Amino acid sequence: MTVTTSINYKEYQADGKATIFTIPFLLLARNDLQIYLDNEPINLTYTIRRLGNPISEIIFEKAPIGRLLLQRSIELVRETDYQENGDLLAKTVNQDFDRIYLAMQGLAQDNTKALRVIDPNGVNPLPLAAQRANKTFSFDSTGQPMLATLETGSAADLAKNLADNNDQHKGASLVSYNNELNYPLKTVGKILQQLQERCDYFEGSGVPVFTVFWWPSRQTIPAGYVVADGQELSQAVYPDIAKAIQRGDVPTVS
């Protein structure tokens, strides 16, 4: 069989009712077909009718709904082994050659997803990753690719640093927070403010101030805790307790 078309994919808008879809390209093996629904690999049960013909059909057990993509993708392996003095059948040879061209079509489609130039001599290769790090991609006066360092403090430099999650001094760490500001509801600032207010009521490992619990020995009480036996405590040493008492968090007596 000849390969008469360069098409190797087909998109449908599945409505959740149709279960049969046409595959308008040659498919030699079931495993050569990749199926995606809304850009995710599909997990629906299906069968393929008229496999090995220029046009075949896929039949789903359950009707899909969403953006359906049928795409041929052939692994670059050669499984046919011609035996010396064996039968050289036309069908076997044709299918073997067809598979080569179908795989080449897939590579040709992948090439359209990459940056290309029509210059006969091409362009210079880019340097190694360590030399490309934190640089921008541009072209010089001859059209050759070059790497440039962004001006510190520029908008482009800020955008690059905000997108960098591999440096502890960049990315999210560049987004500041001021507890003195009154942030609107449903903003990151407001959420941080609410978390800060809640944390103000906690000490040490997260136990609320004035929580009372049993401990086996007075001599091994963890740092930051005191014995609740009516003793006097210094406000300078325990300022959080003093503030909580002043707020009226606990009943007091004179």
Side-chain angles (χ1 to χ4, degrees):
M1 184 177 297
T2 59
V3 179
T4 59
T5 177
S6 60
I7 298 174
N8 69 341
Y9 73 95
K10 177 65 176 180
E11 286 185 330
Y12 292 97
Q13 188 60 44
D15 58 6
K17 298 178 181 179
T19 58
I20 302 177
F21 297 87
T22 299
I23 303 176
F25 48 82
L26 178 60
L27 197 64
L28 297 177
R30 176 188 172 95
N31 292 338
D32 292 342
L33 183 65
Q34 290 183 339
I35 309 172
Y36 297 90
L37 191 62
D38 293 332
N39 296 322
E40 295 293 334
I42 201 168
N43 57 3
L44 296 178
T45 303
Y46 65 89
T47 58
I48 298 179
R49 184 164 56 193
R50 293 196 292 274
L51 184 67
N53 287 275
I55 298 177
S56 55
E57 291 180 331
I58 183 170
I59 306 171
F60 292 100
E61 187 174 288
K62 180 181 178 181
I65 181 170
R67 179 174 169 267
L68 178 66
L69 172 63
L70 307 176
Q71 180 170 332
R72 184 181 60 219
S73 179
I74 298 179
E75 186 179 1
L76 291 178
V77 295
R78 183 172 181 268
E79 298 175 344
T80 304
D81 184 17
Y82 297 95
Q83 300 298 318
E84 188 173 350
N85 296 324
D87 294 332
L88 193 62
L89 302 178
K91 179 180 179 181
T92 304
V93 176
N94 281 331
Q95 182 166 312
D96 205 20
F97 273 81
D98 286 348
R99 191 171 182 82
I100 295 173
Y101 279 90
L102 296 179
M104 291 174 62
Q105 287 179 358
L107 292 175
Q109 183 193 25
D110 289 341
N111 287 338
T112 63
K113 302 174 184 178
L115 292 175
R116 297 169 297 162
V117 296
I118 61 174
D119 306 72
N121 295 326
V123 294
N124 297 335
L126 293 175
L128 298 175
Q131 298 171 277
R132 300 195 305 266
N134 299 317
K135 302 290 195 307
T136 58
F137 183 61
S138 58
F139 298 91
D140 61 19
S141 60
T142 64
Q144 293 295 334
M146 60 176 290
L147 300 175
T149 301
L150 292 173
E151 181 181 352
T152 302
S154 65
D157 182 47
L158 175 60
K160 176 182 68 67
N161 290 336
L162 285 174
D164 189 344
N165 292 320
N166 298 313
D167 190 322
Q168 62 191 24
H169 301 295
K170 298 179 181 179
S173 65
L174 291 175
V175 181
S176 61
Y177 165 72
N178 186 349
N179 193 40
E180 301 299 324
L181 297 178
N182 184 22
Y183 290 97
L185 292 174
K186 298 183 178 180
T187 62
V188 174
K190 189 63 175 180
I191 293 174
L192 292 175
Q193 208 164 45
Q194 292 170 341
L195 287 174
Q196 181 64 51
E197 291 172 355
R198 293 182 183 182
C199 290
D200 287 343
Y201 288 92
F202 289 80
E203 280 286 318
S205 61
V207 179
V209 176
F210 300 120
T211 295
V212 179
F213 56 88
W214 180 82
W215 193 259
S217 172
R218 293 174 67 98
Q219 285 71 38
T220 60
I221 293 175
Y225 297 88
V226 296
V227 179
D229 59 357
Q231 63 179 304
E232 291 185 358
L233 300 175
S234 168
Q235 294 186 30
V237 178
Y238 300 98
D240 294 328
I241 292 180
K243 290 179 182 179
I245 293 174
Q246 295 168 3
R247 286 197 303 263
D249 293 351
V250 293
T252 59
V253 294
S254 58

